[in-house]
Amino acid sequence: MAISDAVTAMEPGAGKSTWETLYRAAAERGAKVLAPRDTSGVTLPVGLEKVRIEAPVTDKSWQMTQDGLNFDVGPGERTRLWIQLPTEISVWVHMLIQPAFSPAAEPVAALRYLHDNDPEEVALRFRRSGVVVHKEVEIPMPAGRPMFFSIGVFNGILHLHLNGVPVYVRPARHPSATSFMLDVIGLAEGISNLHIPFLAVEAPDCFTSTVSEIDSALLATGYLEAARHSSVRHHLHETLHSLASARLAYDRTDVVELIGENRRAEGPFRDVLDDLLLDRLPDTTERQTLAANRPTPVIRVRDVSIELASNPAGKTFSDLIAKRRHSHVRLLHNLSFDGFSGDIIGIIGRNGAGKTTFLKSLVGAIPIAAGRIDIEERPILLRPGAGMQPDLTGRQNIYKTGLYMNMTMSEIDAMIDDVVRFAELEDHIDRPFKYYSDGMRARLIFSMATAMPRDILLLDELLSAGDMGFQERAMKRLHDFLARSKLVFVVQHTFDFVLTRCTKCLLLEKGIPVYFGEPRIATELYRELL
């Protein structure tokens, strides 16, 4: 029986005879099934009889019914399905899952795998709109529809299949899994419900027979159709990336049409999606023409690395003459991405990740050791205290910065009152800048940044200036300013702005680019690093 048959069995009006056939077919393949179905008389392979499927005694237990397993998890409650495996075998775990989460908040639900006493690893997290696979790839889950998950860890490789198609096949941290756990935690906003009509555990060599050609073709067609809805369009590039290893029956006409729709869509150009769609076309003149006619990026960063001497003060004149090379510290390693007109790119990461270092390289304050940065015009970097002369007054610093940005005196005169008023510095603007508090300095720089015209702007931790009242006004002013800018980079530690305003996000960890793309995926990965 194919995976498509399992999913079809969940459709409205599907008879129980379909389910009986599905369970019987799984049992006859040698799978251990957990459900009140007649699978008696089937001999399990050696080892599978030792598999234990249970709930921890401290949890609210799941309920077994004639229709499968039910998780009804209320506020403050927790329910876990624990599948414990004998150490001598590796298995596939199959679950057909239909979630029904509260619309008030994102659910706290995950499928994890464990190896002995090592720390557990998250294979996927559930969201209202889909699932996040291994912290990297988000795949949409149609509301009210089931999804068939198959997971296994074999020889150090994590395999995760969705509806019979491999969506994640990459190295795992552990050589095998000794248990799997489906974990659901109740939130205050409502009840989280999961319905599992089918659960089975089987040996690795049994699963290949469950994937049919029609499954792959149906999944490919379904995702291309789903991409035509704006509500899920932003998920498509992760989906295509995750399915790169699957042999799917993509139709050339559909792919070309999607490329055109993506390029004509309002808002910033989604270059990652464009690349993945082009990869689905054969290497013909048509593909070469489409690739040549894509929009031109405002900034192109290619293989950029930054290194600084670990002790530059210790270098002597003789060292320079002899060209002796001292030890260096790598601050950024092999960063590549494109930024297009209309992009607001968030940069997140822990302290020391390389965020400010990268921004300084864009304005030429720090040289790059390798790679190339092509940018339309020189941007300006605005961060608390940057470029401000401490002995000049706030007013004099405004004029100095405006002249540096090639503004005329009359242009600066026209905007200075607005800058002073918005920064709430009417009584302090003619005092030396060195006597300003940190909040006053940040408010002045933020007001200047959002008053001076600039196509490419770099903001480094300027969104936390002032009290709550100022921050609310600052956010509205920033939104209006961003609408007039061509490209903006924002370094930020909080997620609200990244998730609501950024079109893309770069996650850095110790100078290494972890992810560049959808803000929701970047923030999810960042949470895992914290």
Side-chain angles (χ1 to χ4, degrees):
M1 176 171 287
I3 299 298
S4 51
D5 296 323
V7 179
T8 301
M10 283 289 288
E11 297 296 327
K16 287 193 175 182
S17 61
T18 306
W19 280 113
E20 300 292 349
T21 305
L22 175 63
Y23 274 95
R24 188 69 189 180
E28 289 174 351
R29 288 202 313 271
K32 179 172 183 175
V33 298
L34 177 66
R37 298 289 190 270
D38 180 15
T39 57
S40 59
V42 176
T43 302
L44 292 175
V46 175
L48 284 188
E49 76 280 356
K50 299 179 183 178
V51 173
R52 296 165 55 196
I53 304 176
E54 56 189 31
V57 295
T58 56
D59 294 354
K60 177 183 179 181
S61 180
W62 34 266
Q63 302 298 315
M64 174 77 78
T65 71
Q66 285 295 315
D67 295 322
L69 301 178
N70 284 324
F71 286 53
D72 292 303
V73 188
E77 297 176 335
R78 185 179 192 180
T79 298
R80 285 176 287 181
L81 176 70
W82 193 9
I83 304 172
Q84 299 183 65
L85 311 173
T87 56
E88 67 269 18
I89 66 169
S90 296
V91 301
W92 281 105
V93 174
H94 308 301
M95 285 186 281
L96 187 63
I97 300 178
Q98 185 172 26
F101 297 121
S102 168
E106 286 287 5
V108 180
L111 177 62
R112 313 172 192 272
Y113 64 95
L114 302 89
H115 177 78
D116 294 332
N117 295 320
D118 294 331
E120 62 188 27
E121 290 292 316
V122 176
L124 61 88
R125 292 189 184 276
F126 292 88
R127 294 288 178 258
R128 290 196 306 265
S129 58
V131 291
V132 178
V133 179
H134 210 259
K135 314 172 193 176
E136 297 181 23
V137 180
E138 181 164 342
I139 299 177
M141 178 185 292
R145 294 287 299 279
M147 299 188 86
F148 196 103
F149 297 92
S150 301
I151 183 173
V153 181
F154 311 113
N155 299 319
I157 303 296
L158 171 64
H159 297 257
L160 184 61
H161 291 213
L162 174 61
N163 290 354
V165 175
V167 297
Y168 195 95
V169 182
R170 296 188 189 176
R173 291 192 179 182
H174 308 306
S176 62
T178 54
S179 62
F180 293 92
M181 183 177 292
L182 182 61
D183 188 1
V184 183
I185 299 176
L187 300 176
E189 291 82 359
I191 294 177
S192 295
N193 176 271
L194 281 179
H195 178 49
I196 306 176
F198 177 82
L199 188 151
V201 180
E202 65 179 339
D205 56 352
C206 295
F207 182 52
T208 55
S209 62
T210 66
V211 183
S212 67
E213 291 183 5
I214 192 171
D215 288 326
S216 296
L218 287 173
L219 188 66
T221 301
Y223 277 126
L224 290 180
E225 290 176 354
R228 303 188 189 285
H229 297 86
S230 59
S231 60
V232 298
R233 177 181 298 279
H234 65 284
H235 295 294
L236 182 61
H237 77 261
E238 288 96 353
T239 301
L240 290 173
H241 176 70
S242 67
L243 297 175
S245 61
R247 296 181 179 179
L248 301 181
Y250 289 103
D251 181 78
R252 185 198 62 81
T253 303
D254 286 341
V255 173
V256 171
E257 186 174 341
L258 274 173
I259 291 174
E261 290 180 5
N262 179 53
R263 294 182 180 184
R264 293 190 299 270
E266 295 182 1
F269 172 57
R270 296 189 176 277
D271 54 309
V272 178
L273 172 56
D274 194 76
D275 287 337
L276 292 168
L277 287 170
L278 286 171
D279 287 344
R280 296 304 182 273
L281 293 177
D283 189 12
T284 62
T285 303
E286 179 183 42
R287 175 181 171 179
Q288 296 171 6
T289 301
L290 287 169
N293 292 332
R294 58 184 311 196
T296 303
V298 176
I299 182 173
R300 185 188 298 272
V301 178
R302 288 293 178 271
D303 303 319
V304 168
S305 295
I306 298 176
E307 294 180 352
L308 294 179
S310 57
N311 183 22
K315 224 173 190 181
T316 65
F317 181 73
S318 60
D319 291 332
L320 295 175
I321 297 297
K323 297 182 179 180
R324 297 189 185 97
R325 184 173 179 84
H326 283 221
S327 61
H328 283 68
V329 177
R330 176 163 290 182
L331 304 179
L332 193 67
H333 177 63
N334 202 29
L335 174 62
S336 297
F337 69 88
D338 290 336
F340 292 82
S341 180
D343 268 333
I344 303 173
I345 300 177
I347 305 178
I348 59 177
R350 292 186 281 192
N351 290 335
K355 305 182 296 295
T356 300
T357 298
F358 172 62
L359 293 188
K360 288 182 176 180
S361 72
L362 294 182
V363 297
I366 294 180
I368 62 176
R372 181 183 179 89
I373 299 175
D374 295 319
I375 193 166
E376 283 190 359
E377 64 174 61
R378 184 180 180 184
I380 184 171
L381 171 60
L382 295 168
R383 53 194 305 263
M388 308 295 279
Q389 295 296 321
D391 292 325
L392 297 180
T393 66
R395 188 184 305 276
Q396 291 169 332
N397 270 297
I398 294 174
Y399 276 99
K400 179 185 73 69
T401 303
L403 293 172
Y404 173 77
M405 295 178 65
N406 295 323
M407 297 178 66
T408 64
M409 291 295 290
S410 59
E411 289 173 333
I412 301 174
D413 290 338
M415 64 95 176
I416 194 168
D417 289 341
D418 174 68
V419 171
V420 175
R421 182 171 55 254
F422 191 84
E424 302 172 349
L425 293 175
E426 293 92 337
D427 297 333
H428 306 279
I429 194 62
D430 292 312
R431 293 176 57 198
F433 186 77
K434 62 184 177 183
Y435 296 128
Y436 285 14
S437 68
D438 290 342
M440 294 166 63
R441 294 179 181 186
R443 293 202 307 271
L444 177 59
I445 295 174
F446 178 87
S447 300
M448 291 166 49
T450 51
M452 298 178 177
R454 201 71 176 180
D455 283 344
I456 303 176
L457 188 63
L458 316 178
L459 302 178
D460 189 358
E461 289 293 345
L462 282 182
L463 303 185
S464 57
D467 55 24
M468 291 300 296
F470 178 82
Q471 289 185 30
E472 291 177 2
R473 294 192 300 114
M475 194 59 64
K476 183 180 183 303
R477 182 180 175 100
L478 181 64
H479 289 175
D480 296 338
F481 175 79
L482 294 177
R484 304 191 304 268
S485 299
K486 182 179 291 187
L487 176 65
V488 179
F489 289 88
V490 180
V491 169
Q492 189 69 4
H493 281 293
T494 59
F495 292 159
D496 288 347
F497 182 83
V498 174
L499 291 172
T500 57
R501 289 295 298 173
C502 291
T503 59
K504 297 172 184 173
C505 188
L506 170 64
L507 171 60
L508 296 173
E509 172 69 5
K510 297 180 180 179
I512 298 174
V514 177
Y515 177 83
F516 178 79
E518 284 292 325
R520 294 181 66 184
I521 305 300
T523 54
E524 182 75 28
L525 288 169
Y526 189 25
R527 287 189 181 99
E528 297 295 337
L529 293 175
L530 294 177

